[in-house]
Every structure is written in structure tokens, then in C-alpha cells.
């Protein structure tokens, strides 16, 4: 199951890094503000690292590992990821101390009851899509074709894009963590922006 956790953002956000839930969760992994801050993610007027695919994935791995350490079971860890540890602990108490997701399932909130089955369905679909003649038709650029530019000064996307032979919208698509299309970088607070490596790498 551990190897299959890479598919969890499909359930959470449909792999949309700017996804927003009605409850206020953001990003690929749908972190709430308090949870994201507790995991060390930066959220301010310029940057929301819940929308950073790399930083949010690192935070999600830490959080899921912590939940697994608490419950010793990946299904319970997933339930706690969705509903919060408080709801899982309450369900365990109401079930008479059962430590199995399927035995406490109907003591959990409705959304969480279906969360683990939905995850299992996504894992099956991603692993066996070819058997059902399902194939990707719009592939994102491979990671090997992406590179990093280090920025030491505040700079806007509309200033960078012409230098990189990119549209501003393409730059924004590759860097969803920047909320105002501005990189608020300084020497002390160096940030990075991704671009297609077939273009020149600009360093500041």
C-alpha cells in the first residue's frame, strides 16, 4: 500500500495543484491552512506552498508517515488524513476499541467512509488502466525537461517570461505556488522557479 500513496493526489485534487475545496483546503494534497503550517509550509500573500508540487508532497509524506506511526495501519492513516485524527480516535472508541478501518468505518463521517474505497479504486485504475483501454492523451512535460532558475531579486512573471521564451501563462502553470505571479525572492530568502530546459537558464 505504501507505494500506492503516490496516487492519493488523484483522489484529493485530480492532480490539480491549484484545487480548492469548499472547506478551504488547497493544492495537490488538499492541506488545510493549520495542517500545512504545522508541516512547515509557507503561506502568505505571495506564496502558498500547498500549491507547490514538491514542497507539498514532502509535507504530505511527513504527515502520512506520522499518522502511520500513530495507528500502525495505512488505511487508518488515510482515514485520519481525510477526517483528522480526532474523528478516527472517536470512531475507534465508539467501535469498542477496534483497530481496523472496515470495523470502524460506519463510525466515521460519511465522506471518510468512502475515502479509502475511492483510493483503492484509483489505485486499481492507475495500475490496470491498459486492461480497460484507458490511456493518457495529454501528457505533461517530463521532469527531465524541467530546470530551475535561482532568483535573488523580486521579479514578476511578465518580466521573466520573454527572457525564457515562455508565455506568462505557461510560467504560471509551471509555478502554481506563486499567488500573484511574482517571485518575492531575496538573497536571504532565495526561491526557485521552474521552466522548460529547452530554453536558456537565467540566473540572478
Amino acid at each position: 500500500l505504501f507505494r500506492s500513496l503516490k496516487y492519493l493526489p488523484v483522489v484529493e485534487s485530480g492532480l490539480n495543484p491549484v484545487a480548492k475545496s469548499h472547506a478551504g483546503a488547497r493544492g495537490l494534497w488538499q492541506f488545510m491552512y493549520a495542517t500545512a503550517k504545522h508541516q512547515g509550509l509557507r503561506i502568505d500573500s505571495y506564496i502558498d506552498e500547498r500549491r507547490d508540487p514538491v514542497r507539498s508532497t514532502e509535507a504530505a509524506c511527513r504527515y502520512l508517515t506520522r499518522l502511520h506511526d500513530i495507528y500502525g495501519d495505512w488505511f487508518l492513516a488515510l482515514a485520519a488524513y481525510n477526517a483528522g485524527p480526532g474523528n478516527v480516535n472517536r470512531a475507534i472508541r465508539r467501535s469498542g476499541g477496534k483497530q481496523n478501518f472496515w470495523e470502524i468505518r460506519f463510525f466515521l463521517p460519511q465522506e471518510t467512509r468512502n475515502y479509502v474505497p475511492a483510493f483503492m479504486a484509483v489505485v486499481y485504475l492507475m495500475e490496470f488502466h491498459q486492461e480497460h483501454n484507458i490511456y493518457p492523451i495529454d501528457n505533461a512535460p517530463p521532469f527531465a525537461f524541467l530546470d530551475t532558475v535561482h532568483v535573488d531579486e523580486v521579479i514578476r512573471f511578465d518580466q521573466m517570461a520573454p527572457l525564457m521564451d515562455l508565455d506568462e501563462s505557461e510560467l504560471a502553470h509551471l509555478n502554481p505556488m506563486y499567488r500573484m505571479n511574482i517571485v518575492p525572492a531575496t538573497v536571504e530568502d532565495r526561491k526557485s522557479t521552474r521552466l522548460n530546459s529547452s530554453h536558456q537558464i537565467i540566473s540572478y
Side-chain angles (χ1 to χ4, degrees), residues 47-108:
I47 291 177
D48 188 342
E49 288 187 333
R50 292 177 294 179
R51 295 166 28 167
D52 183 325
V54 175
R55 293 280 292 136
S56 66
T57 298
E58 292 170 347
C61 290
R62 290 193 299 269
Y63 187 42
L64 284 164
T65 299
R66 176 173 165 267
L67 292 173
H68 183 264
D69 289 343
I70 292 172
Y71 297 107
D73 179 270
W74 281 116
F75 286 160
L76 290 179
L78 287 170
Y81 187 90
N82 178 253
N87 279 317
V88 172
N89 294 341
R90 193 175 302 113
I92 290 173
R93 289 196 301 271
R94 289 177 176 173
S95 71
K98 302 289 177 51
Q99 296 287 327
N100 182 290
F101 170 80
W102 305 106
E103 293 180 304
I104 72 166
R105 181 183 179 192
F106 290 102
F107 297 98
L108 291 166

Side-chain angles (χ1 to χ4, degrees), residues 30 121 128 171 176 194:
Q30 289 292 281
F128 300 103
L171 200 56
R194 298 179 189 83

Side-chain angles (χ1 to χ4, degrees), residues 96-138:
K98 302 289 177 51
Q99 296 287 327
N100 182 290
F101 170 80
W102 305 106
E103 293 180 304
I104 72 166
R105 181 183 179 192
F106 290 102
F107 297 98
L108 291 166
Q110 181 66 44
E111 177 185 337
T112 309
R113 296 177 196 176
N114 299 324
Y115 185 75
V116 169
F119 170 70
M120 295 171 68
V122 166
V123 171
Y124 175 83
L125 179 63
M126 298 299 286
E127 293 287 345
F128 300 103
H129 61 91
Q130 294 180 346
E131 296 185 14
H132 301 277
N133 293 317
I134 299 174
Y135 300 94
I137 59 175
D138 186 18

Side-chain angles (χ1 to χ4, degrees):
L1 181 62
F2 176 75
R3 291 178 58 253
S4 300
L5 293 176
K6 62 186 177 183
Y7 300 127
L8 191 58
V10 177
V11 178
E12 288 288 342
S13 64
L15 294 180
N16 179 6
V18 297
K20 174 184 176 182
S21 77
H22 67 276
R26 300 283 197 284
L28 287 176
W29 296 88
Q30 289 292 281
F31 275 116
M32 296 295 288
Y33 178 89
T35 305
K37 295 293 283 186
H38 186 69
Q39 295 303 315
L41 295 180
R42 174 176 172 175
I43 305 172
D44 55 37
S45 298
Y46 291 97
I47 291 177
D48 188 342
E49 288 187 333
R50 292 177 294 179
R51 295 166 28 167
D52 183 325
V54 175
R55 293 280 292 136
S56 66
T57 298
E58 292 170 347
C61 290
R62 290 193 299 269
Y63 187 42
L64 284 164
T65 299
R66 176 173 165 267
L67 292 173
H68 183 264
D69 289 343
I70 292 172
Y71 297 107
D73 179 270
W74 281 116
F75 286 160
L76 290 179
L78 287 170
Y81 187 90
N82 178 253
N87 279 317
V88 172
N89 294 341
R90 193 175 302 113
I92 290 173
R93 289 196 301 271
R94 289 177 176 173
S95 71
K98 302 289 177 51
Q99 296 287 327
N100 182 290
F101 170 80
W102 305 106
E103 293 180 304
I104 72 166
R105 181 183 179 192
F106 290 102
F107 297 98
L108 291 166
Q110 181 66 44
E111 177 185 337
T112 309
R113 296 177 196 176
N114 299 324
Y115 185 75
V116 169
F119 170 70
M120 295 171 68
V122 166
V123 171
Y124 175 83
L125 179 63
M126 298 299 286
E127 293 287 345
F128 300 103
H129 61 91
Q130 294 180 346
E131 296 185 14
H132 301 277
N133 293 317
I134 299 174
Y135 300 94
I137 59 175
D138 186 18
N139 292 322
F143 187 77
F145 288 94
L146 301 178
D147 211 328
T148 301
V149 171
H150 296 284
V151 179
D152 292 331
E153 302 292 339
V154 176
I155 188 168
R156 302 189 312 270
F157 280 16
D158 62 351
Q159 295 172 308
M160 289 190 292
L163 299 172
M164 300 174 182
D165 195 23
L166 286 172
D167 292 334
E168 188 177 345
S169 60
E170 290 179 290
L171 200 56
H173 176 71
L174 291 171
N175 297 274
M177 70 290 293
Y178 297 113
R179 305 178 74 167
M180 302 176 67
N181 285 4
I182 296 173
V183 182
T186 65
V187 174
E188 295 78 18
D189 184 24
R190 173 169 287 190
K191 296 298 169 185
S192 298
T193 179
R194 298 179 189 83
L195 73 160
N196 197 301
S197 66
S198 61
H199 302 289
Q200 184 179 7
I201 300 173
I202 308 298
S203 298
Y204 293 87

